[in-house]
Amino acid sequence: MTVLRTLLLAACCVPMIASADAGRLLATGGATGIEGAAGGGITPWAVLAGYGERGEWGGDVFATRVETGDYRLDVAGVAFAFDNRLELSFARQRFDLGNLARDLSLPENSLSQDIFGIKLRLFGDLLYDRLPQVSLGAQHKRQKDFLIPSLIGAQRDEDTEAYLTASRLILGGAFGYNLLLNGGVRYSRANELGLLGFGGDRRDSRSLLKEGSAAVLFNPNWVLGVEYREKPDNLSFAGESDWADLFLGYFPNKRFAVVLAYARLGEIATLDNQDGAYLSVQGSF
């Protein structure tokens, strides 16, 4: 919480904050992902948190729940960006093991981790440059309940991963509606985002993983899209499925957003068909 408190104090002290009527276009800051970075729910975009432009601060606070029936993931966090160039983020995840903990009499009924993120816009712009906006990010993850991951073969309780992502908004690109395209690669060995530790008895090296999304902006307030995220398969204990979702985002103004999604998460910790609902609410400046 010390890092979170420091970020909040820093944001309160800066002289220039993006106003609701200035900064980037509505919805182009995206939502906040389950790891704290700006963009989609399960994949980051190259955009930065909030609506700040050059010389301004912007940011988001968010809360997310993913419910599959067997499992529940709760996430809360904050992200700040300055100069539309650098983003810092923090997210805390809590993964309720639900039926698995009861059926196997596990020593713990939940797993949690903290994620500290940084994202740097390298070049380009989402809309106003001939080149797409390209950003480089890194996330340091600390697993806080390592007993169960260690018993199933995870090799470490914390690790750092990197990702490179590019985003472009094409005006009128989808039958007259604006189209956002995003694609990226991630270098990681996190098991289920890191909630089951990092590395495993099957493989302990990092993998280069693909991820991407596409979204149609039907008007300034409504966004419909899909996402895909490739996952590593490091543990012999259970397979790890790639993730995908179909999402609907509502952005009534630059202060508030809500995202609802149907997530297809596949197999998680031996339980298959983990599909369910995703709900995220976000406040921005």
Side-chain angles (χ1 to χ4, degrees):
M1 296 306 293
T2 301
V3 174
L4 181 58
R5 188 179 301 112
T6 301
L7 290 172
L8 289 170
L9 288 173
C12 292
C13 294
V14 294
M16 297 188 66
I17 301 294
S19 72
D21 298 323
R24 306 199 305 271
L25 297 176
L26 181 63
T28 57
T32 305
I34 54 177
E35 294 164 300
I42 62 174
T43 63
W45 299 351
V47 301
L48 305 186
Y51 289 94
E53 272 289 3
R54 184 172 300 178
E56 297 177 334
W57 282 91
D60 304 313
V61 293
F62 78 101
T64 298
R65 171 167 289 186
V66 185
E67 179 77 62
T68 69
D70 292 310
Y71 300 115
R72 188 181 74 229
L73 175 66
D74 291 301
V75 191
V78 60
F80 296 103
F82 179 66
D83 200 34
N84 196 21
R85 177 66 62 179
L86 179 67
E87 174 187 287
L88 300 174
S89 62
F90 170 81
R92 171 160 292 180
Q93 299 178 333
R94 184 182 184 276
F95 184 54
D96 189 332
L97 295 170
N99 293 336
L100 187 69
R102 292 187 290 272
D103 294 345
L104 300 182
S105 300
L106 297 177
E108 298 171 336
N109 59 14
S110 67
L111 301 170
S112 60
Q113 72 170 339
D114 290 338
I115 303 175
F116 303 86
I118 184 170
K119 186 196 298 185
L120 176 68
R121 181 171 65 87
L122 299 178
F123 58 83
D125 188 84
L126 185 68
L127 178 62
Y128 299 114
D129 196 291
R130 287 188 293 179
L131 296 175
Q133 185 162 321
V134 177
S135 295
L136 178 66
Q139 293 172 334
H140 183 73
K141 301 180 176 182
R142 295 179 181 172
Q143 222 285 341
K144 300 172 69 65
D145 306 290
F146 192 57
L147 176 59
I148 292 175
S150 68
L151 292 175
I152 62 175
Q155 300 298 301
R156 51 186 57 78
D157 64 355
E158 64 179 283
D159 202 17
T160 301
E161 60 189 45
Y163 63 90
L164 181 70
T165 184
S167 302
R168 185 65 166 180
L169 181 65
I170 304 171
L171 297 179
F175 304 101
Y177 297 106
N178 296 338
L179 174 66
L180 188 141
L181 298 176
N182 180 79
V185 291
R186 182 179 298 266
Y187 194 51
S188 173
R189 57 185 162 197
N191 309 316
E192 301 296 358
L193 306 183
L195 289 162
L196 294 182
F198 305 88
D201 54 337
R202 177 181 291 172
R203 184 158 90 173
D204 190 35
S205 58
R206 292 183 176 88
S207 302
L208 194 63
L209 308 165
K210 303 179 295 295
E211 51 195 44
S213 55
V216 178
L217 286 71
F218 288 102
N219 60 44
N221 304 109
W222 291 96
V223 180
L224 179 68
V226 294
E227 298 180 281
Y228 167 79
R229 178 166 176 165
E230 188 178 16
K231 309 276 289 311
D233 202 2
N234 301 322
L235 300 170
S236 58
F237 163 77
E240 184 165 349
S241 300
D242 296 347
W243 285 2
D245 69 30
L246 172 67
F247 69 87
L248 178 66
Y250 176 52
F251 298 80
N253 52 56
K254 290 186 178 181
R255 299 298 188 194
F256 178 75
V258 58
V259 178
L260 179 65
Y262 174 72
R264 293 183 59 89
L265 308 182
E267 181 180 351
I268 299 178
T270 74
L271 299 183
D272 208 352
N273 300 316
Q274 295 305 304
D275 305 337
Y278 171 110
L279 176 64
S280 182
V281 292
Q282 171 182 292
S284 303
F285 64 89

